[in-house]
Each structure stands twice: as C-alpha cells, then as structure tokens.
Amino acid sequence: MSLRYEKLYIGGQWVRPHGSDVITAVSASTEQELGSVPLGVEADIDDAVTAARNAFDEPRGWATWEPAKRAEVMERLADAIDARKDEMVRRISSQNGMPIVIAEQLEGGFPSMLLRYYAGLARQAATEEERPGLLGGTTLVRRRPVGVVAAIVPWNFPQALTFFKVAPAMAAGCTVVVKPSPETVLDTFLLAEAAEEAGVPAGVLSFVPAGREVGAYLVSHPGVDKVAFTGSTAAGRSIAEACGKLLRPVTLELGGKSAVIVLDDADLSTSIEQLFATSFINNGQTCYLGSRILAPRAKYDQVVDVFSGLASGVAIGDPLEPTTQIGPMVSARHRERVESYIAKGKAEGARVTVGGGRPEHLDRGWYVQPTVFADVDNNFTIAQEEIFGPVLSVIAYDDVDHAIRIANDSDYGLGGSVWTADPERGAEVAKRVHTGTIGINAYLPDPTAPFGGVKASGLGRELGPEGLAAYQQLQSVYLDRS
C-alpha cells in the first residue's frame, strides 16, 4: 500500500505546505513507488524556524524547563518511537535498502537508546558551577542551550543520525528543525506522529523534507543558532563556509576512507562476523567503514583470500528478508557512482578478486556485488576517494611503521580498526593512527563516547557527554564577594 502524506509537521501541528510538489519515495529493491510526502520550500523553513524560535525564546519556553522535566518528555518520545519500531525499520529498509536485521539493531534501537541516555545526562549534569577567582570574588559558570538547531540528516542511517543530533539538543534545551534526506522521508513522518503522541511541546521539533537548495537556505537562516550536519565532505565544506561567514557554530560528520590494519599475528578466520561489520555493514553505505585493508606483505595473499571469501559468501537480496546481508544501493544514481569507481579501479591496474558487477539473479533493484580489489596502491583513486558502497581495496605493507604511514596517508580520518592477537599491541598501533575513532578487533560507535572525525572527516563530536556540550554555550557571571 502506498503511503501518502499531504501535510508537514511544523510547530506541533500538521499544516499544509506552501508548495505543491512532492517527494516520491521509491523502493531500492523493487524500484516501485512506496509513497509520497510534500516537498518543503523556503516558506516552510521560515515557518519551522519561527516555531522553533518562539518555543525557545518565550519566557516559559523549552529552554527554561527544568532538565528533569525535559527528560520526561524525551522518555515519552522514546516510548512512542519504540511502539512504532517495527514499522519504522520496514520503511527505512524499503527506502534505502538497508538489510532489515541491521535496521532492527541500529535504526530500531538507537533512537530510543539515545533519547534515554541523554535524558539521564540531563538529570545528572550540572548546568552551573561556582569557581573561586584568582583576583578576588567568584565566577558562576553557566551552561546554556545554544538555541535553534538546524539538523540536516542523510539517508544511510536516517533515524539513528537524526537522534545523534535531536537527543542531545533536546536535553540541552534547544529546539530543532530537522531536514531529512529526500531518499528517506516516510520514516520521518512516522517520527513526527510519535512526537505528537508523546506531547513534545509545539516548536521543539519540526520536520521539513527538502532538497539541497532548501537545505542551504536553512543553514543560512537568520533564525538558526547552530547547524548539525551529517553527509558528504563536499556538502560539509559548503556548510562550513556558510557558517564561517555567519560565525555560526556547526558540527560536521563527513566522509571517511578508514583503514583496517591487519597485524602479522592476527587470525582473521575467527573474526568473520566482526570483519563484515567493519567493512560491509549497510551495503557499504556507512561513513566510518574500513574500506582500505592494510595487509602485511608476508600474509598478503591470505588476507586477500579472507576478504574475498567474505565478499563472495554473503547473502545478497531483498533487504526485508531476515537472511539478507547485502541489499541494494539507495538509488540508481548512487549505483552508477559506485560502478564508476569499480571501473576506475580496473583501469588503474587493480585486480578484482570477487564481484565487480551486478548480481545475476536479481533483475530489479539497484544492486552491486560486494567487490574486493587486490594489488592496490594507496595512491589509486579507489584507495583515496570515498566510494560509499561494498568495495574494498587490499593494500600491502612492509612493517608496522609502513602500515601507519599508509593509514595516515588519507584526506580522511573518521574510523578504522586494528586486528591482532595482542590487544595491547593493537592499542599502541591504534594510538598512532590519525583518526577520530578506531577499534581493536571490532568497531562500532558507542553512545557514551565521542564520535567524529579529523581532517576532511569533519568538525566537532557527537555522542557522549561531549555531544551534549556541543549544544550548550558558556556564560560566566562574575560575583564580587568583597
């Protein structure tokens, strides 16, 4: 059944959009229409920002609520989302091709988990402290909410990444205008229904699905105090430029080209499930994935065989089937992009050991075979540019110092992992990699720890207490005690 929404959720109400165009949601696996929602225009952004501004600025508005009271609203929202979890993951998997088993774990679990985590921090974290001064008197240091937040969310983990932003922002006392990606919009309207049911105060959360131009309008809107963006590095640079001119705080979680460093003592045969999670999860459409496999030259062929076997052994098919491990790309355009990189890898002299084409047994959907390249030099395009698909490059190194030089020879620095029989040795290697996050014999961001990148992978951090601090600003009140 096709889902059709005709109104937008803005300022706590379902309102008619100012435009007449719609976004049509399409199944990544069947290429059939799933539904449609209104396409937001600049006037809709104006309404959403005004509602958020009013909810933040009014004398008894959201920003003035006691943290414990805000936490209660957040927990009600978590309950309302949990009640819709099954439908939420079905909509997401249908739209972007994420295997439903992964969607159940991440898209179904992270939103309410983050809301409850930040509700707990809101109750516990002090918003004021007195500091004794060196010049006499004391200073009252206050943590205040930054204001109205523009949250721009991608299509690959649409709900999880929404709540990377919404949960700490709400806990801090901010109000939020969310602009979801056009590729994943049906899940956003389910979230809006949950917000309405949970009694989230009017203007605290509004949702305007729109394209890039309207997103740029939101970023530069005079009523916005902070921007939080997850997406490509190219788009992130444009947003950073706009925010820089406005002196507007911005958090950017951008692209990655993370390194998987396999040390000479690693036994990869015991870590197949973890290797899959670090290299192929969500069909390779994950920013932090380790797509550069660094293998010791003495064990190079063995490492190539392990990853080739991993790629050839996965189940490719309908993302709504629980046995599926690899689903389709999110769109025909994105599949073309991934296939263009596979062609570049072949042209530059890399050797395809498995994959390289489309699955023969699937005549519909935007599928790409999991692909492994051997004989890759780190200067090759496929080793330097983010592909955002199920494509791995295996690169040989001579010793650990050489491996670290290769790992750090990248414009990006978001994720990564080290594989070894000696975790302490692995930790020492990990500390030398210039990246925002890295794992030992596994990798998965945890809500309690800061997540984000260095270099072209972004600015700022999400998750953990640091994620809450990103939505606060400091005020010093000097007290004369003489």
Side-chain angles (χ1 to χ4, degrees):
M1 182 178 69
S2 184
L3 298 165
R4 300 198 181 278
Y5 290 91
E6 296 181 350
K7 295 182 177 181
L8 297 171
Y9 187 75
I10 294 175
Q13 300 180 43
W14 293 95
V15 300
R16 290 282 179 186
H18 288 274
S20 58
D21 291 338
V22 300
I23 298 172
T24 301
V26 178
S27 166
S29 58
T30 69
E31 304 180 40
Q32 301 299 307
E33 180 179 331
L34 296 169
S36 64
V37 307
L39 173 66
V41 298
E42 291 182 0
D44 298 312
I45 293 292
D46 290 338
D47 289 348
V49 173
T50 297
R53 189 81 264 162
N54 291 339
F56 184 81
D57 288 342
E58 64 183 27
R60 296 184 181 180
W62 181 251
T64 70
W65 285 28
E66 288 295 322
K69 189 178 178 184
R70 290 199 296 264
E72 290 175 2
V73 174
M74 294 171 65
E75 288 164 347
R76 290 202 306 269
L77 179 56
D79 291 340
I81 290 171
D82 281 344
R84 293 164 171 79
K85 181 169 62 175
D86 292 344
E87 175 65 10
M88 184 73 80
V89 300
R90 189 187 68 81
R91 291 189 186 189
I92 291 168
S93 293
S94 296
Q95 291 173 105
N96 70 4
M98 181 187 299
I100 198 162
V101 171
I102 302 301
E104 288 170 349
Q105 296 171 4
L106 300 180
E107 294 296 275
F110 257 60
S112 59
M113 181 189 301
L114 290 170
L115 282 166
R116 294 188 176 101
Y117 170 69
Y118 280 106
L121 283 188
R123 287 191 173 96
Q124 298 166 10
T127 57
E128 294 184 358
E129 65 170 298
E130 270 197 24
R131 299 181 185 175
L134 297 179
L135 303 176
T138 61
T139 300
L140 178 66
V141 180
R142 304 176 62 215
R143 293 185 176 273
R144 307 172 65 190
V146 72
V148 174
V149 175
I152 302 178
V153 184
W155 48 259
N156 61 330
F157 291 94
Q159 288 301 310
L161 292 173
T162 291
F163 283 93
F164 273 38
K165 299 154 183 56
V166 165
M170 289 182 69
C174 298
T175 57
V176 189
V177 177
V178 179
K179 191 207 81 65
S181 170
E183 285 83 3
T184 45
V185 289
L186 298 178
D187 49 297
T188 299
F189 283 72
L190 198 61
L191 171 58
E193 293 169 9
E196 182 180 37
E197 178 185 289
V200 176
V204 172
L205 288 178
S206 295
F207 305 91
V208 184
R212 186 173 301 174
E213 295 78 10
V214 174
Y217 180 76
L218 173 60
V219 165
S220 298
H221 198 287
V224 167
D225 298 301
K226 175 186 168 67
V227 175
F229 171 78
T230 299
S232 72
T233 295
R237 291 187 194 279
S238 296
I239 291 171
E241 182 178 5
C243 290
K245 289 180 179 178
L246 295 166
L247 299 181
R248 179 167 294 170
V250 61
T251 300
L252 301 171
E253 195 268 280
L254 307 177
K257 195 68 183 178
S258 303
V260 174
I261 302 176
V262 181
L263 297 183
D264 53 11
D265 63 348
D267 180 5
L268 298 183
S269 65
T270 64
S271 305
I272 297 301
E273 184 175 340
Q274 293 90 336
L275 288 172
F276 177 85
T278 59
S279 54
F280 283 126
I281 196 171
N282 194 20
N283 317 328
Q285 298 175 139
T286 304
C287 53
Y288 60 70
L289 286 187
S291 56
R292 291 186 298 150
I293 316 300
L294 311 189
R297 201 171 297 279
K299 299 179 67 173
Y300 184 80
D301 291 342
Q302 179 183 336
V303 173
V304 169
D305 288 346
V306 167
F307 280 93
S308 299
L310 174 63
S312 63
V314 298
I316 308 171
D318 182 351
L320 297 181
E321 289 293 331
T323 55
T324 294
Q325 296 171 284
I326 294 287
M329 301 293 93
V330 69
S331 66
R333 180 181 177 183
H334 188 59
R335 177 173 66 176
E336 291 173 2
R337 180 179 186 275
V338 173
E339 289 177 331
S340 73
Y341 276 106
I342 293 174
K344 287 178 183 178
K346 294 175 181 178
E348 290 179 330
R351 172 170 56 92
V352 175
T353 65
V354 66
R358 301 178 182 181
E360 294 181 358
H361 68 290
L362 296 167
D363 58 1
R364 288 189 306 173
W366 301 304
Y367 291 88
V368 174
Q369 290 176 324
T371 301
V372 176
F373 279 102
D375 304 333
V376 178
D377 186 280
N378 197 54
N379 292 320
F380 285 5
T381 303
I382 57 172
Q384 285 294 317
E385 297 184 11
E386 184 178 40
I387 299 173
F388 221 62
V391 181
L392 306 182
S393 298
V394 188
I395 303 167
Y397 70 81
D398 298 320
D399 54 30
V400 170
D401 289 341
H402 186 208
I404 292 168
R405 285 198 302 274
I406 295 173
N408 291 337
D409 181 16
S410 172
D411 291 337
Y412 299 102
L414 182 59
S417 56
V418 180
W419 300 79
T420 175
D422 183 350
E424 292 186 3
R425 180 190 180 202
E428 291 305 311
V429 171
K431 292 174 185 177
R432 299 174 61 190
V433 180
H434 194 195
T435 185
T437 64
I438 191 165
I440 311 299
N441 296 329
Y443 180 94
L444 184 65
D446 190 279
T448 65
F451 173 77
V454 299
K455 299 187 284 187
S457 288
L459 297 170
R461 293 294 181 267
E462 297 183 301
L463 303 182
E466 294 81 3
L468 177 61
Y471 293 91
Q472 297 171 322
Q473 55 187 357
L474 298 174
Q475 181 188 45
S476 295
V477 181
Y478 303 112
L479 306 173
D480 183 1
R481 299 300 191 187
S482 59

